[in-house]
Amino acid sequence: MSSHAETPSHAERPAAVVRLRLLATTDLHGHIRGYDLFADREDTGCGLSRVATLIERARTGCPNTLLFDNGDFLQGTPLTEYWARDRQSRADTPHPVIDAMNALAYDAVGLGNHEFNYGLDFLTRSLRDARFPCLSANALRLRAPRPEEDVPLTQAHVVLEKDLHDENGDLRRVRIGVFSVLPPQFILWDSAILASQLQSRSIIETARAQVAQLRAQGCDLVIALAHTGIDPLARADDPTCEHAATLLAQIDGIDALIAGHDHIAFPGPDVAPSADVDPVAGRLYGVPTVTPGRFASHLGQIDLDLVQGARGWQVVASCATLIPVAQEPPVPEAERIVTRNAKAHAEVQSYTSRRVARLDVPLHSYFSLVGPDAALSFVAQAQRDHVQSLLADRPEGELPLLSAVAPCKSGGRAGADYYLDIPPGPLSIRHLSEIYLFPNIVTAVVIDGKGLKSWLERASIIFNTIADGTRGLPLIRPEIPAYNFDIMLGVTYEIDLSAPPVFDLHGMQTTQSRGRIRNLCYQGRPVDDRQSFVVATNNYRSAFAGQFAGLDGLRVDLGPDIASRDVLIRAARAWDTLHPAAIPIWQFRDQPQTSVTMVTGKGALAYHRQMEDLGMSLQDTHADGTVTLCKQLFYADACTGTLG
């Protein structure tokens, strides 16, 4: 790879240094405005309109600036959902996200996995208005014997020829190659809608071929727009590697890396330091790297100092940093982005405010990782009832029907306000969009009892191992996303935190122990390993997303695809008045004299009765709007009885 030395002193520098500034966004997920469309309120910590202000400031500070994004921009808010599902046939204006990116003059954009959530027709229509190259080297129309011969869906790479000012004010021509890759699993995650129209290739095999091609075309620099996360344990021999940034950094010839997909902020404390990972300077194996958060929470900036030598332009110094949107005073929104987005913003607000039903009780997610949850129960019931209606008079309809769901908004890296908290009263489309954030499709699979237990074992890895008699240890592993904590309506079970997890984050079995899932019962009787079930779930999970064990059974044909959120809307309209109750599906195994701590949003304190029922009490409050709660794991002095 190219040399990335520390910044030398002025006296040591060559006479003609060119500073090139790379600006980057990632995982915008449709957040154009600094506004939470789910909660219908301003959000000063996100939004491309606020990042636009940071971009203007960064461009002012450097004459040689390029702007990139590495994917997941067309999905994620009520605006993107509305544009894809309700407004897509009215192609009278560009997609609002594309329109905003055009206004900011992006130099190139890579595709993320969520760009494919609404199918190829929608993606193609959205991208045709882009005034910038849209790149993806491993989303393929045709996979050839060699990666150099692949036929990509879009451009695999672009060569930008730029006349850059050196420190003396003279113009220097530099050829910059840019390519983009994304997790190859995207074709599985959206197989229900892509219908085998695309193929993929591994990130690393693709990247090696792209670097070779760009260098052969005379590129002085190569920049990777890598919609992939940072996993120091990633293996180069794994063709399905999802989080491959550290592997990319080891490819000779990549000068700068813009990562994403895992929604972390790098450089920053989200990644542990090691000999080859520097989360302070923002380097992976010496390569300057940024991962600019999520929802336009940060602007990534990489400054490269270049000198021209016998072998062309070389990087002699680099600096990687993140500029947060959340500042004091708040970063103002760029007026030109607000103005361009005003009509679309108002149209979406009008749509999402439509009343669907009435809610008699509050729904929130502050405790969704510690016990029964009314919002999840509502989603699971609606999903189950929908599948049950489709299986009537079919052989699968004779099997026990379960329903798997997971929390969507449970804080974590997304922040102290990232929780569901809907008061009683009119229930609108906006509220239902918040209850179910993702553009999933309802699916169903047939599994056996052994597979069911493995499914739940994989879900339980979100919890730390807690020995009997210990007090005050953290309950949640922060690196595990809550959307992989599936609960299973239709059975009851306990989770034994004293046992180590059976699986790791990659779905690999790590122990032969008995496991954490205890007393797994269906209708009060222990589940037999050979017993068959139908599980209502979504296309993300049934396509093995999250590397869940147990999902190797039969996929059930449910007919035409129906979005999970549409199923919720139909159910709410049918019931009209909703009084969701938390169904007792699971609980932690009783551990005498044992307690844990959990960080959640301060809004949890409004539900003190539920805290008491769950054996929880306030331990500490924090300036960032979170609170730490203590939860007892021994039930003699706290919450609850046994599960029925």
Side-chain angles (χ1 to χ4, degrees):
M1 66 190 74
S2 301
S3 171
H4 296 273
E6 299 293 335
T7 304
S9 68
H10 181 76
E12 297 170 329
R13 285 191 170 192
V17 174
V18 170
R19 168 154 294 183
L20 174 60
R21 175 164 291 174
L22 311 179
L23 303 177
T25 55
T26 189
D27 295 277
L28 297 176
H29 286 287
H31 287 73
I32 303 172
R33 294 283 307 278
Y35 197 91
D36 186 342
L37 282 166
F38 293 109
D40 198 23
R41 65 188 180 209
E42 184 183 24
D43 187 342
T44 59
C46 74
L48 189 58
S49 57
R50 299 188 192 280
V51 169
T53 300
L54 300 179
I55 291 170
E56 291 170 2
R57 294 173 182 173
R59 282 172 167 164
T60 300
C62 183
N64 310 314
T65 304
L66 299 176
L67 176 61
F68 301 107
D69 183 90
N70 81 345
D72 279 7
F73 48 86
L74 288 179
Q75 175 276 330
T77 65
L79 182 146
T80 56
E81 183 74 7
Y82 170 69
W83 230 261
R85 298 204 188 278
D86 296 271
R87 204 186 188 276
Q88 61 173 317
S89 61
R90 292 152 56 195
D92 53 333
T93 58
H95 191 290
V97 175
I98 298 296
D99 185 57
M101 297 174 97
N102 283 338
L104 292 174
Y106 274 79
D107 290 279
V109 165
L111 301 186
N113 53 289
H114 282 291
E115 265 64 76
F116 298 89
N117 287 164
Y118 305 111
L120 282 187
D121 289 345
F122 173 76
L123 177 58
T124 301
R125 284 198 303 273
S126 299
L127 296 183
R128 74 183 174 198
D129 292 312
R131 297 200 296 267
F132 45 80
C134 299
L135 311 178
S136 186
N138 65 331
L140 309 174
R141 292 192 181 275
L142 177 65
R143 175 173 169 150
R146 301 181 339 128
E148 297 84 357
E149 301 166 348
D150 288 342
V151 180
L153 172 67
T154 64
Q155 288 178 248
H157 59 247
V158 65
V159 177
L160 304 174
E161 294 206 38
K162 296 292 182 178
D163 290 321
L164 306 179
H165 290 87
D166 66 19
E167 60 185 354
N168 299 321
D170 297 327
L171 289 176
R172 302 297 191 100
R173 174 63 59 91
V174 180
R175 286 173 60 86
I176 304 159
V178 185
F179 73 94
S180 178
V181 286
L182 79 164
Q185 297 93 328
F186 81 94
I187 59 171
L188 294 175
W189 297 337
D190 278 311
S191 58
I193 193 167
L194 293 177
S196 303
Q197 297 175 81
L198 296 178
Q199 297 174 286
S200 66
R201 189 181 291 277
S202 78
I203 289 174
I204 300 306
E205 184 182 18
T206 302
R208 286 183 180 132
Q210 288 298 308
V211 171
Q213 289 180 63
L214 289 169
R215 291 296 181 182
Q217 294 177 42
C219 290
D220 300 295
L221 302 175
V222 173
I223 299 165
L225 305 183
H227 192 80
T228 185
I230 300 173
D231 180 2
L233 301 179
R235 303 193 329 268
D237 61 348
D238 178 9
T240 65
C241 183
E242 179 181 351
H243 300 284
T246 55
L247 301 177
L248 284 168
Q250 297 175 63
I251 296 176
D252 186 35
I254 293 179
D255 294 284
L257 183 58
I258 297 166
H261 184 56
D262 54 5
H263 290 198
I264 68 167
F266 184 87
D270 290 341
V271 178
S274 70
D276 300 307
V277 177
D278 187 341
V280 176
R283 288 190 176 87
L284 301 179
Y285 289 83
V287 177
T289 303
V290 290
T291 304
R294 82 290 174 267
F295 308 161
S297 61
H298 296 76
L299 176 66
Q301 179 175 306
I302 299 176
D303 286 338
L304 302 176
D305 282 1
L306 315 175
V307 295
Q308 192 172 29
R311 295 187 296 122
W313 290 97
Q314 298 290 308
V315 178
V316 295
S318 63
C319 178
T321 188
L322 293 184
I323 307 169
V325 165
Q327 300 181 17
E328 286 297 335
V331 174
E333 294 184 279
E335 188 60 37
R336 62 190 177 118
I337 302 301
V338 172
T339 300
R340 292 177 78 107
N341 185 242
K343 183 177 180 181
H345 185 81
E347 187 176 331
V348 171
Q349 283 185 304
S350 175
Y351 167 73
T352 58
S353 65
R354 296 177 188 173
R355 181 190 181 279
V356 177
R358 177 170 182 80
L359 184 65
D360 276 354
V361 295
L363 289 178
H364 66 86
S365 61
Y366 297 116
F367 312 129
S368 59
L369 299 178
V370 294
D373 180 275
L376 284 180
S377 297
F378 163 55
V379 175
Q381 287 176 296
Q383 182 175 266
R384 178 202 60 192
D385 293 350
H386 171 71
V387 172
Q388 189 173 50
S389 68
L390 297 176
L391 297 183
D393 303 321
R394 290 177 51 176
E396 297 92 344
E398 301 298 319
L399 296 175
L401 177 60
L402 313 178
S403 185
V405 295
C408 289
K409 298 182 72 174
S410 294
R413 290 171 177 162
D417 294 328
Y418 200 66
Y419 291 91
L420 191 69
D421 198 341
I422 302 173
L427 189 71
S428 67
I429 290 176
R430 171 174 64 82
H431 294 129
L432 291 169
S433 298
E434 189 176 18
I435 292 171
Y436 203 105
L437 295 175
F438 305 112
N440 294 333
I441 294 166
V442 176
T443 60
V445 295
V446 175
I447 65 171
D448 59 20
K450 183 178 180 181
L452 173 61
K453 185 173 186 296
S454 293
W455 189 330
L456 297 174
E457 289 285 1
R458 170 61 181 83
S460 75
I461 74 169
I462 194 171
F463 303 118
N464 283 309
T465 302
I466 309 295
D468 288 351
T470 58
R471 292 181 178 271
L473 294 177
L475 172 65
I476 305 299
R477 296 171 60 187
E479 73 275 19
I480 309 295
Y483 57 71
N484 279 337
F485 178 57
D486 283 2
I487 65 166
M488 194 72 65
L489 176 69
V491 292
T492 58
Y493 53 97
E494 295 180 333
I495 298 176
D496 182 0
L497 296 180
S498 69
V502 172
F503 299 99
D504 66 13
L505 182 59
H506 305 289
M508 302 297 292
Q509 188 164 345
T510 59
T511 177
Q512 297 295 325
S513 70
R514 178 183 172 190
R516 291 179 155 183
I517 303 302
R518 307 292 169 84
N519 300 323
L520 177 59
C521 294
Y522 173 72
Q523 294 186 345
R525 296 183 178 182
V527 170
D528 185 272
D529 281 354
R530 295 168 295 180
Q531 189 173 359
S532 294
F533 298 89
V534 173
V535 179
T537 181
N538 60 66
N539 61 302
Y540 180 81
R541 186 66 75 235
S542 61
F544 301 96
Q547 293 78 44
F548 268 61
L551 276 170
D552 52 358
L554 174 68
R555 176 86 171 257
V556 180
D557 183 5
L558 297 180
D561 294 335
I562 298 180
S564 300
R565 191 176 297 149
D566 290 343
V567 168
L568 282 193
I569 293 173
R570 291 181 186 183
R573 283 176 173 155
W575 295 336
D576 188 55
T577 300
L578 306 181
H579 193 97
I583 299 173
I585 296 170
W586 70 279
Q587 67 181 30
F588 295 118
R589 182 187 70 87
D590 190 343
Q591 293 184 248
Q593 304 305 309
T594 307
S595 66
V596 292
T597 60
M598 185 189 76
V599 176
T600 188
K602 66 180 180 180
L605 301 181
Y607 302 99
H608 52 87
R609 175 62 183 273
Q610 190 176 356
M611 285 175 55
E612 293 175 1
D613 290 344
L614 290 168
M616 305 184 77
S617 59
L618 177 65
Q619 178 172 298
D620 201 1
T621 60
H622 309 289
D624 66 355
T626 61
V627 296
T628 297
L629 304 181
C630 177
K631 174 172 172 55
Q632 298 176 350
L633 296 177
F634 47 102
Y635 299 129
D637 302 321
C639 58
T640 138
T642 58
L643 295 172

